[in-house]
């Protein structure tokens, strides 16, 4: 299970090799010895980076595993670096997942977004952009339509099996009876061309009538399905898009304004309450201590007042904050209600489009069936007239044997047609269960694809909650909880109140960044895609917490690779010593961490 990595001219490493072992691997060294560059080399081998050493014309990384060897070559092409070879990850979605959720260096986009308060939703759902969900849904629907048509034919065939089997038996008996009559007629004579034509016309008419029966049965089912789709479409009630969207936008703006007002009022209240509670008003204004109360000048407007009046004003301000908080909660409930209505409206809109498509397709199929049915009926009328004409011409001088021969040939033709139709129906009916299973699978796949994005979002938020539940007690953070809202905004709570990320320590912000990346790691099953996790530049986290963090991450990927300084004794695992590597800092003053 050991992996070997050979590096040449990648980032700050001119030449070096190392072995990765399952579990924790710590690249342990002081500054500018190539620790971060080694992690960049691993990312290059996986196909997500191309950091060619400055000034070098070409470089390469080779990764040897138990099963294969992967080599990526870097070549400078003007101002750009071109990559060739075979990286470990060939699928674009796997590379995106690795870059976002497994390769957690300082420049990881999710860690940086948390630090800078940027949008998280587009990052946490980015792999979905490469799955081309809409095209997959369209392809699955086309395949399901094909299966539906085959299933309809198979169901029709299964329903007609008993009738067809009975008809074959009847025709076999009729043929036997006619052959007996022919044998009994010693003077039987052969038929002429007219009788041959009559037999052919009767046989063709029998086939046309069978086709009419099948078309009528299929047309009836299409009419029923069309009527059902029309009724469901007429019953749909879809709200006005623009009006509901405007209501939701207005409610969100009102809620954001209320939250900003509450935050501002709380800041004013907390600061003044602390000054009064700690009896430090003399820091802000002159105070005259009296027997009953202290007289002072308001430190905002300069008016004369006393400590009791200030306290009363602060109590009034607290009540105002409570009232605004209740109003904000009502606005939040309104936003949630409107959001649910928007989602419900969109669901009905999608169903409306599906039904409109079904109605259009069913109308086209009905028109085609009616056209084919009219053609078949017209042909049946032509054959009826031809049979009557031939029969009249034969009856004038037909002999009994000739009639028997004609009837026998006609009966045999009908028997052959019936047997052929029975065999075809049996063959189609045998596919019934398989087709039903295919349709069920396609329907489930379409449903899964439609729900894919919402499920990923929910799984991401759930995974973030799980990570926070582990991290808060493990690292004894200053915040008591954190969550991702439905819009993927990061909300942190401290002492029962929402806290700004700016109020957190550097280490706490880094933990939140890692927790957010791990949420995507779990939601997209990155452990099944990428066997390596890279962690780098966690300067804001103390040595003891680094040890806890590496222990916490070790079970997630087969190979966990992190950087560490020699004094980080809490980080315990397979040490990688870069002492024998040739790095940029050996010959220049430029740092190569």
């Amino acid at each position: 299970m050991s992996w070997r990595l050979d590096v040449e001219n990648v980032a700050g490493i001119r030449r070096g090799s190392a072995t990765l072992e399952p579990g924790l691997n710590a690249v342990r060294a002081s500054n500018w010895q190539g620790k971060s560059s080694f992690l960049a080399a691993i990312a290059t081998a996986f196909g997500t980076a191309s950091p060619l050493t400055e000034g070098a014309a070409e470089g390469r990384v080779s990764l040897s595993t138990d099963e294969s060897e992967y080599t990526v070559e870097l070549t400078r092409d003007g101002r750009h670096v071109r990559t060739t070879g075979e990286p470990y990850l060939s699928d674009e979605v796997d590379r995106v997942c690795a870059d976002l959720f497994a390769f957690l260096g300082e420049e990881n986009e999710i860690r940086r977004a948390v630090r800078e308060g940027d949008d998280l939703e587009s990052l946490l759902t980015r792999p979905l952009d490469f799955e081309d969900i809409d095209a997959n849904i369209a392809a699955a629907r086309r395949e399901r339509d094909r299966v539906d048509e085959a299933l309809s034919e198979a169901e029709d065939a299964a329903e007609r099996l008993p009738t067809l089997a009975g008809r074959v038996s009847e025709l076999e008996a009729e043929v036997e009876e006619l052959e007996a009559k022919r044998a009994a007629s010693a003077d039987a004579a052969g038929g002429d061309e007219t009788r041959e034509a009559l037999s052919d016309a009767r046989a063709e008419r029998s086939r046309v009538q069978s086709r009419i029966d099948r078309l009528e049965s299929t047309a009836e089912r299409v009419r029923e399905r069309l009527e059902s789709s029309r009724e469901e479409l007429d019953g749909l009630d879809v709200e006005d898009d623009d009006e509901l969207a405007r209501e939701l936008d207005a409610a969100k703006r009102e809620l954001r304004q209320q939250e900003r007002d509450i935050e501002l009022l709380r800041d004013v209240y907390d600061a003044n309450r602390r000054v009064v509670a700690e009896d430090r008003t003399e820091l802000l204004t002159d105070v005259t201590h009296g027997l009953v109360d202290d007289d002072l000048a308001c430190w905002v407007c300069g008016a004369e007042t006393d400590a009791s009046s200030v306290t009363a004003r602060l109590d009034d301000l607290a009540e105002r904050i409570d009232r605004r908080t209740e109003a904000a909660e009502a606005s939040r409930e309104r936003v949630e209600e409107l959001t649910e209505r928007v989602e419900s409206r969109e669901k009905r809109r999608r169903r409306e489009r599906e039904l409109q498509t079904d109605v259009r397709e069913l109308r086209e199929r009905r028109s085609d069936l009616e056209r084919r049915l009219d053609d078949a009926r017209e042909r049946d009328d032509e054959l009826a007239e031809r049979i009557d004409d031939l029969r009249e011409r034969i009856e004038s001088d037909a002999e009994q044997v000739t009639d028997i021969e004609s009837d026998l040939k006609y009966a045999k033709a009908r028997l052959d047609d019936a047997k052929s139709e029975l065999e075809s129906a049996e063959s189609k009916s045998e596919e019934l269960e398989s087709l039903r299973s295919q349709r069920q699978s396609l329907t489930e796949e379409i449903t899964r694809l439609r729900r894919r994005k919402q499920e990923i979002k929910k799984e991401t938020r759930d995974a973030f909650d799980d990570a926070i539940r582990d991290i808060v007690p493990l690292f004894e953070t200053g915040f008591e909880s954190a969550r991702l809202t439905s819009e993927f905004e990061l909300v942190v709570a401290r002492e029962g109140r929402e806290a700004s990320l700016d109020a957190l320590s550097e280490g706490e912000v880094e933990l939140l960044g890692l927790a957010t990346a791990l949420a995507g790691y779990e939601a997209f099953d990155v452990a099944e895609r990428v066997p390596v996790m890279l962690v780098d530049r966690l300067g804001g986290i103390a040595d003891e917490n680094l040890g806890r963090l590496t222990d916490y991450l070790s079970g997630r990927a087969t190979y966990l690779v992190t950087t560490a300084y020699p004094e980080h004794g809490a980080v315990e695992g397979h040490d990688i010593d870069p002492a024998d590597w040739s790095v940029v800092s050996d010959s220049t003053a430029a740092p190569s961490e």
Side-chain angles (χ1 to χ4, degrees):
M1 295 289 288
S2 297
W3 285 9
R4 179 179 174 83
L5 198 73
D6 294 304
V7 184
E8 181 178 349
N9 288 336
V10 173
I13 301 177
R14 295 196 181 279
R15 189 178 300 277
S17 300
T19 299
L20 298 181
E21 298 294 345
L24 173 61
N25 295 264
V27 187
R28 194 180 301 274
S30 301
N31 288 337
W32 310 323
Q33 299 303 305
K35 299 191 300 297
S36 297
S37 297
F38 182 74
L39 270 62
I42 295 176
T44 301
F46 274 74
T48 67
S50 55
L52 181 62
T53 300
E54 183 176 355
E58 57 185 21
R60 66 192 301 273
V61 178
S62 292
L63 173 64
S64 299
T65 71
D66 292 343
E67 299 175 354
S68 186
E69 181 168 320
Y70 306 89
T71 299
V72 175
E73 297 179 346
L74 308 178
T75 305
R76 195 172 302 282
D77 186 4
R79 299 172 60 186
H80 303 283
V81 174
R82 180 166 48 87
T83 63
T84 56
E86 180 184 6
Y88 187 94
L89 298 177
S90 58
D91 183 77
E92 185 65 21
V93 177
D94 291 346
R95 293 184 185 179
V96 171
C97 288
D99 197 42
L100 289 172
F101 309 126
F103 297 169
L104 308 180
E106 184 180 37
E107 295 305 313
N108 175 269
E109 289 186 74
I110 293 178
R111 286 181 61 186
R112 186 172 66 248
V114 171
R115 286 196 301 268
E116 299 176 2
D118 293 340
D119 175 62
L120 290 172
E121 181 176 4
S122 61
L123 294 175
L124 290 171
T125 60
R126 181 182 294 172
L128 295 177
D129 297 339
F130 295 83
E131 293 186 10
D132 204 2
I133 293 176
D134 291 339
N136 291 336
I137 290 176
R141 289 194 63 189
R142 288 193 297 271
E143 178 63 14
R144 188 176 65 177
D145 290 343
R146 185 195 66 76
V147 171
D148 278 342
E149 185 173 354
L151 180 59
S152 177
E153 293 178 359
E155 289 173 342
D156 179 62
E159 291 176 1
R160 295 170 54 240
L161 276 178
T163 301
L164 291 173
R167 180 164 178 75
V168 168
S169 298
E170 292 173 357
L171 288 172
E172 287 176 341
E174 182 178 346
V175 167
E176 290 179 0
E177 181 180 353
L178 288 171
E179 287 177 342
K181 286 183 178 180
R182 185 184 61 177
S185 301
D187 298 331
D192 57 17
E193 293 180 359
T194 303
R195 294 186 182 90
E196 191 77 17
L198 176 60
S199 297
D200 292 340
R202 284 175 172 173
E204 182 179 356
R205 190 185 182 195
S206 175
R207 290 191 291 271
V208 169
Q209 289 177 338
S210 296
R211 185 183 179 198
I212 290 173
D213 291 340
R214 292 195 299 272
L215 289 172
E216 287 177 340
S217 176
T218 303
E220 181 61 26
R221 288 197 301 274
V222 170
R223 283 192 290 270
E224 290 174 358
R225 288 175 57 191
L226 177 58
E227 185 63 26
S228 175
S229 296
R230 281 174 173 170
E231 290 178 0
E232 185 177 352
L233 182 60
D234 292 340
L236 282 177
D237 181 19
V238 182
E239 297 181 72
D240 179 70
D241 291 2
D242 296 337
E243 182 62 26
L244 189 57
R246 285 194 294 271
E247 284 187 49
L248 179 57
D249 289 341
K252 287 182 177 179
R253 288 194 299 272
E254 181 180 358
L255 176 58
R256 286 194 294 270
Q257 184 60 50
Q258 289 173 332
E259 290 175 339
R260 286 194 292 269
D261 291 346
I262 290 170
E263 181 179 3
L264 180 58
L265 289 172
R266 281 178 175 164
D267 290 342
V268 173
Y269 174 80
D270 290 342
N272 286 276
R273 170 60 72 186
R274 183 178 176 186
V275 170
V276 172
E278 295 182 8
D279 196 20
R280 300 303 304 278
T281 54
E282 68 272 16
L283 293 174
L284 303 175
T285 188
D286 296 331
V287 180
T288 302
H289 298 287
L291 293 175
V292 178
D293 204 352
D294 294 339
D295 294 327
L296 49 87
C298 176
W299 52 83
V300 177
C301 67
E304 292 297 322
T305 185
D306 52 47
S308 299
S309 297
V310 171
T311 301
R313 291 295 296 164
L314 287 174
D315 291 341
D316 292 341
L317 182 56
E319 292 178 0
R320 179 173 295 184
I321 291 173
D322 291 340
R323 290 194 298 272
R324 285 183 176 267
T325 300
E326 292 175 356
E329 185 60 32
S331 296
R332 188 173 292 106
E333 292 175 356
R334 175 62 174 163
V335 168
E336 292 175 352
E337 175 193 351
L338 289 172
T339 300
E340 291 177 356
R341 287 176 59 189
V342 167
E343 293 174 349
S344 176
R345 180 202 64 201
E346 183 58 27
K347 180 179 180 181
R348 291 194 298 273
R349 178 71 68 193
R350 288 195 301 270
R351 182 56 182 163
E352 182 182 56
R353 291 194 294 268
E354 292 174 359
L355 288 171
Q356 289 171 345
T357 300
D358 289 342
V359 167
R360 182 176 63 255
E361 293 174 351
L362 287 170
R363 282 174 175 168
E364 293 174 355
R365 190 176 180 194
R366 181 189 62 182
S367 298
D368 178 65
L369 286 169
E370 289 174 349
R371 178 187 58 77
R372 291 162 62 189
L373 192 55
D374 289 340
D375 292 343
R377 286 169 175 164
E378 183 178 348
R379 180 57 179 163
D380 182 61
D381 291 340
E382 292 174 356
L383 289 170
E385 292 178 1
R386 178 168 173 74
I387 289 171
D388 290 342
D389 179 65
L390 291 171
R391 185 185 297 113
E392 290 174 359
R393 290 166 56 187
I394 292 173
E395 285 177 353
S396 61
D397 57 352
E399 298 178 357
Q400 182 179 7
V401 174
T402 303
D403 290 338
I404 293 174
E405 289 284 351
S406 177
D407 291 342
L408 180 58
K409 183 175 181 180
Y410 173 52
K412 286 181 176 180
R414 287 186 296 159
L415 177 58
D416 291 338
D417 290 342
K419 286 181 177 180
S420 176
E421 190 174 354
L422 177 60
E423 289 175 358
S424 176
E426 288 174 342
S427 176
K428 290 181 178 179
S429 66
E430 289 174 356
E431 299 174 357
L432 194 56
E433 291 305 318
S434 174
L435 289 169
R436 286 172 176 167
S437 177
Q438 289 181 45
R439 191 187 192 285
Q440 178 66 23
S441 297
L442 288 167
T443 300
E444 291 174 355
E445 177 64 8
I446 291 171
T447 301
R448 184 192 68 78
L449 289 170
R450 286 173 177 164
R451 296 176 178 172
R452 171 74 170 150
K453 193 163 189 176
Q454 293 303 319
E455 290 175 349
I456 282 294
K457 287 184 176 181
K458 182 179 184 305
E459 291 173 9
T460 301
R461 292 195 296 269
D462 291 345
F464 180 84
D465 292 342
D466 292 341
I468 289 299
R469 278 194 292 269
D470 293 337
I471 286 173
V472 168
L474 183 62
F475 297 96
E476 299 179 353
T477 60
F479 59 89
E480 59 201 42
S481 67
R483 65 184 178 87
L484 288 173
T485 68
S486 60
E487 296 179 349
F488 279 78
E489 295 178 354
L490 183 57
V491 178
V492 179
R494 172 179 280 171
E495 297 179 357
R497 297 178 179 176
E498 180 177 336
S500 170
L501 291 181
D502 295 336
L504 303 182
S505 69
E506 179 184 356
E508 289 174 332
V509 173
E510 291 297 344
L511 286 174
L512 286 174
L514 290 172
T516 305
L518 290 177
Y521 187 92
E522 296 297 332
F524 284 96
D525 297 322
V526 179
E528 298 178 7
R529 304 170 182 264
V530 186
V532 172
M533 179 179 288
L534 308 179
V535 182
D536 187 24
R537 296 185 185 270
L538 299 174
I541 299 179
D543 180 28
E544 180 182 0
N545 283 335
L546 279 176
R548 293 194 183 103
L549 178 62
T550 52
D551 289 341
Y552 176 66
L553 296 176
S554 290
R556 297 180 180 270
T558 305
Y559 300 87
L560 173 63
V561 186
T562 185
T563 58
Y565 290 101
E567 60 269 22
H568 288 161
V571 180
E572 298 180 352
H574 169 66
D575 277 1
I576 297 175
D577 185 1
D580 295 332
W581 298 351
S582 173
V583 296
V584 172
S585 59
D586 291 341
S587 56
T588 70
S592 174
E593 167 62 357

